[in-house]
Amino acid sequence: MLLMELDDPFLKRFSGYSSRFANVTAFNRFSAIYAIWSNYGLDITVLYAIWSKRLQEINHAGAGGLWAELVSNRGFEAGGQNTPSNIWPWSIVGDQSSIYVATDRSSLFERNKIALRMDVLCDSNGCPSGGVGVYNPGYWGMNIEEGKKYKVAFYVRSTGDIDLSVSLTSSNGSLTLASENIIASASDVSKWTKKEVLLVAKGTDHGARLQLTTSKKGSIWIDQVSAMPVDTYKGHGFRNDLFQMMVDIKPRFIRFPGGCFVEGEWLSNAFRWKETVGPWEERPGHFGDVWKYWTDDGLGHFEFFQLAEDIGAAPIWVFNNGISHNDEVETASVMPFVQEALDGIEFARGDANSTWGSVRAAMGRQEPFELKYVAIGNEDCGKTYYKGNYIVFYNAIKKAYPDIKIISNCDGSSRPLDHPADYYDYHIYTSASSLFSMYHQFDRTSRNGPKAFVSEYAVTGKDAGTGSLLAALAEAAFLIGLEKNSDIVEMASYAPLFVNTNDRRWNPDAIVFNSSHLYGTPSYWVQRFFAESSGSTLLASTLKGNSSSLVASAITWQNNGKDYIRIKAVNFGASSVNLKVLVTGLDPNVMKVSGSKKTILTSTNVMDENSFTQPEKVVPHESLLEMAEEDLTVILPPHSFSSFDLLKESAKIRMPISDSSSTSSQKV
Ligand code: AHR
């Protein structure tokens, strides 16, 4: 039997508890700055740590994932400027006797000059039934659902009349799910013309494709083809099911767009925000050479800010600092990159009349986005010009935007930084046993200097499988350690958030999806246990007994005006553990605690994972928590992560009521 003692001395120590807590939560909603409530070293601290999400373009998290655009390579630009004829994954409907397809540089859009040319060699007598043309399978099949609407837009030009079918079909084209004809005279389409149709699906196919076909002889040019589901979050273009998985974790910030995506293997392939704003048709797209796929950049700088706002999270923008994996801009020449970062901030925060704020306004957003955190580069600390470049960025940003918090790539957890910063970035990918033992990692970190931002953590290697319970348990222990050190670790976010299972470029990830389905890995579910930790209050707790495989913590938090204590415990060992919890410090005349809910994440085998066939094999299970008197005795199953919610209530509330007003006035 292990004993956990919790101390909850609020009522005894702080008479102004209610109002002060109200301030805390209100403040926390705005963003997330750690503020210590009592002097450091006392046993009560207020958690402003914001536990959150990181959205980097990796594994098709955005293109072919959260960004709901169904067409892949919509402008026929994939491959970049050096291989302009790469139309993959577009394919041809018909054969060489009926159609000839090529690309040329005749697009009306200056930044993406490539267009598709179809020479249709057959006519209504000779063309195969259904016509000839091209199709796009999207990202390993489009999810088309019966009754749902899809907006298809594209640009077309021709030397003659056109009669074009725009259809959503089954994966092999044999079944038509929705179709509309576009008929126009030569004079209408002699110049590039935008065409739009709304398709309503009369069937469901998770692997559907978009076809543009015709049985009319002639030459047709096509460019910038988009197919968007009408039903996206707030109409903002985010795939609803993936968006909801993010919301459920209550993220307080979103770090975007990378990761290494920001850096590129080469600077020429790095994410450069200016190429990702403005009308979608005009964005050139780019080849992300770290994760080796093309993005049309529909999810661009603007959309990332919109996403953060829609989710109620603070945006943390990571930008390129003149450094990629293989090339660097020396400090003396870095000013254009600095200006680009300043412009990117102005795009988000500037008023609608400012140079870059006006670009945002032209995209439909007059009022600025709230941007308070930026990170200068990603994992670049050891690079030759990092520190030199960093200082130039730091000074320029602080001068223009003194309130913006700046995140350095250099780890300040073991020795002080030699440059100014508000936060330092900390990444950790390691084995399960090693991450579990890093529960104490920040215990001895200096409390002076910048705060820690643990922006990437996960178990990797064979312990991780493709999302194992073992990995999740080690991560839970590590997170408990961060929670206990939240006076210095203000922010934490997991390894990549999403993976499209058709193109897994990084493992492990929190949410696995394909065109139509998704599931959370055990690591995702661990993060759900911490959803209430932001803005909550850490309680002093002591574990007594002998178990090196147990890690536990306790917080108090509020829900619907009620106060709760949440005890979280990881049993990393192969035997069950009996845990007795003693809550001390409550004034027995005022407060009592009673059981409320217990939640347990475990499985029969520690390497168990979720999958599309068993998406809920390893998920938390909730049940009623029975509690006799003030003490709680619980069993922690082998290899498990558990939480126990205790409701704090007035001890007098259940007494025979003689004076109800005095009773309620004592309730906190
Ligand atoms: O999270 C996956 C990658 O790991 C990130 O892109 C990079 O920052 C880290 O190396």
Side-chain angles (χ1 to χ4, degrees), residues 54 56 58 255 258-261 263 290-291 378-379 427 429 456 494-496 506:
R54 196 164 61 85
Q56 61 170 311
I58 182 172
R255 173 182 182 247
C260 302
F261 183 66
E263 305 170 86
V290 177
W291 307 121
N378 173 69
E379 292 187 344
H427 295 181
Y429 292 111
E456 299 188 21
Y494 181 66
W506 176 276

